[in-house]
Amino acid sequence: MSVMMRILLFLGSVLTAAYVLRCIRRSKMRTEDSLFWLFFSLILLFLSIFPGAAQAVAGWLGVISTVNLVYLVVIFALIIKLLLTDQKVSKLEAQLQHLVQEYTVEHSDDCAPSETEER
Amino acid sequence: MRVLIVVPAYNEAESIGRTLEELQKQVPQYDVVVVNDGSTDETAAVCRAQGVKTLALPDNFGIAGAVQTGMRYAHRLGYDAAVQIDADGQHDPRYIPDLVSRMEETGADLVIGSRFVDGKRPRSLRMRGNALLSDAIRATTGRRIMDPTSGMRLYGRRLLKVMAYGTNYGPEPDTIAYFIRSGARVEEVPIRMRERTAGRSYLSLGRSILYMIQMCMNIWCIQWVRKRSDLTCR
């Protein structure tokens, strides 16, 4: 990994962490969701400071260029995050739907406001 | 002081009946509200049969969402304080008046029902976690909280408001640390808890580990970037 690449990684990880912390400060993100990004930044930071670790792993996996390993790690992390986010969106959609359905039934002409029995 | 007892419940039909009966018997002077967190069993029916006020969430939002709903209700109806009581019977309502009188005497914002006021925790993995969190809070706020994971907490009006409408105010140890740093006054009162009367605990080993990582991250790192909570308005 070239020095330039390491600097880029270092900056990238620090800026990502800073941005996420700023989101939390402004109550735009839940702390549970920030956990992933902070660990992600930590890993990139680690790789930028200790390129030897990346080199070693690259060797084991048969990856010739160390920087390709970094790309692999980032892509893999993004895939995981995408899966987790999809899960979250599905849950949000379900919750929203139930909320709207509840509202619709409560405000229909024939229903008096009451607790529903079944979900 | 007008106190509301908030009972978050998710599929606790087996134990909640007994818990509500006990609340009626031990502390009839306080209002009770059950927050039904989208239960799919007969929790709602049990509450209705006992004539207890219930807030029925249309879906499952988790303990933080359920408690927040209760807080919102408490604040909106002008209560001076709200205490969280678990539906599974682990919390003995007999101690609620102790929490209330401590709050009245000291003007505290938060009174925690603490199992370990004398400092002795039983030896188990769960309690190691409890000790770890106590150390984390001590290190970052200077305050020693003996039982940071106790769910039996009495929140005063100032805290009610921010918990009701804010983000990242879950009823967890990290929020306690954040409140301390925001200038809230916290007290602990000795209590004893019991085993849950029925059902299974939500916390598996995997979840507990994730919980500990999240809490440590929040207490050691994240609480420093949050603006001090504005506790001035009621």
Side-chain angles (χ1 to χ4, degrees):
Chain A
M1 251 197 300
S2 69
V3 177
M4 201 57 222
M5 189 66 203
R6 288 171 61 189
I7 292 175
L8 216 67
L9 262 184
F10 183 85
L11 283 178
S13 61
V14 168
L15 288 175
T16 304
Y19 181 73
V20 167
L21 291 174
R22 198 173 88 141
C23 281
I24 292 174
R25 185 177 174 82
R26 293 165 160 201
S27 296
K28 287 199 159 60
M29 191 186 277
R30 289 164 50 185
T31 50
E32 297 94 324
D33 302 326
S34 71
L35 202 64
F36 174 92
W37 293 109
L38 292 175
F39 268 114
F40 178 67
S41 308
L42 209 66
I43 290 174
L44 289 187
L45 191 72
F46 180 80
L47 289 177
S48 71
I49 298 177
F50 302 107
Q55 250 170 345
V57 179
W60 297 336
L61 293 176
V63 175
I64 294 175
S65 172
T66 309
V67 73
N68 284 345
L69 179 79
V70 176
Y71 295 157
L72 190 64
V73 165
V74 173
I75 291 173
F76 192 59
L78 287 180
I79 290 176
I80 293 178
K81 187 54 177 168
L82 200 59
L83 280 170
L84 292 174
T85 306
D86 250 348
Q87 231 182 333
K88 204 164 151 209
V89 168
S90 297
K91 184 171 178 193
L92 279 174
E93 278 177 340
Q95 282 179 342
L96 185 66
Q97 199 164 43
H98 293 155
L99 184 62
V100 170
Q101 287 163 347
E102 195 71 27
Y103 179 88
T104 306
V105 168
E106 290 268 318
H107 285 77
S108 71
D109 293 328
D110 6 63
C111 248
S114 65
E115 293 161 329
T116 52
E117 315 253 316
E118 293 198 66
R119 293 193 194 289
Chain B
M1 201 165 80
R2 280 186 71 215
V3 177
L4 179 68
I5 299 175
V6 176
V7 186
Y10 178 62
N11 289 343
E12 298 277 8
E14 285 172 30
S15 44
I16 197 168
R18 214 168 326 173
T19 306
L20 293 176
E21 268 170 27
E22 210 186 357
L23 283 172
Q24 175 56 35
K25 208 169 66 157
Q26 300 277 8
V27 282
Q29 69 269 40
Y30 300 130
D31 297 335
V32 176
V33 71
V34 171
V35 184
N36 185 355
D37 195 10
S39 299
T40 51
D41 67 359
E42 311 80 41
T43 298
V46 172
C47 298
R48 202 185 356 252
Q50 299 215 2
V52 175
K53 177 84 186 161
T54 308
L55 299 174
L57 288 166
D59 215 315
N60 176 247
F61 290 90
I63 183 80
V67 170
Q68 187 174 44
T69 308
M71 295 291 141
R72 198 174 270 239
Y73 182 79
H75 182 265
R76 204 66 74 82
L77 266 73
Y79 284 93
D80 300 303
V83 57
Q84 179 187 337
I85 293 291
D86 284 354
D88 58 11
Q90 280 187 40
H91 298 155
D92 192 339
R94 198 169 11 124
Y95 294 104
I96 297 178
D98 295 340
L99 300 181
V100 175
S101 44
R102 178 67 72 92
M103 184 173 274
E104 284 171 334
E105 285 160 20
T106 62
D109 296 298
L110 169 60
V111 181
I112 301 172
S114 175
R115 293 162 288 182
F116 317 122
V117 169
D118 58 6
K120 289 194 182 53
R121 291 186 184 88
R123 290 192 166 287
S124 76
L125 206 59
R126 186 77 59 87
M127 290 304 119
R128 286 285 294 279
N130 190 301
L132 214 80
L133 291 173
S134 180
D135 292 338
I137 295 178
R138 172 84 170 92
T140 54
T141 66
R143 180 68 206 275
R144 171 64 74 183
I145 302 290
M146 299 310 302
D147 193 356
T149 62
S150 161
M152 192 165 171
R153 306 189 190 107
L154 178 68
Y155 299 95
R157 181 108 185 134
R158 300 203 303 170
L159 303 188
L160 271 190
K161 179 162 189 184
V162 292
M163 287 183 76
Y165 301 104
T167 317
N168 293 326
Y169 284 99
E172 302 293 351
D174 59 336
T175 303
I176 296 178
Y178 179 51
F179 278 148
I180 294 174
R181 281 186 14 97
S182 300
R185 182 172 173 154
V186 180
E187 295 276 326
E188 280 185 286
V189 164
I191 65 161
R192 298 177 99 93
M193 285 193 198
R194 310 175 289 209
E195 296 299 312
R196 55 168 29 237
T197 54
R200 296 170 64 241
S201 173
Y202 163 80
L203 283 174
S204 62
L205 181 63
R207 282 213 182 93
S208 301
I209 291 176
L210 204 65
Y211 173 82
M212 283 301 300
I213 294 175
Q214 182 76 62
M215 285 300 126
C216 287
M217 171 74 89
N218 289 354
I219 295 174
W220 286 108
C221 309
I222 293 183
Q223 70 165 314
W224 304 108
V225 301
R226 293 176 72 177
K227 282 183 258 209
R228 298 246 154 137
S229 193
D230 181 10
L231 299 179
T232 50
C233 342
R234 287 173 55 93

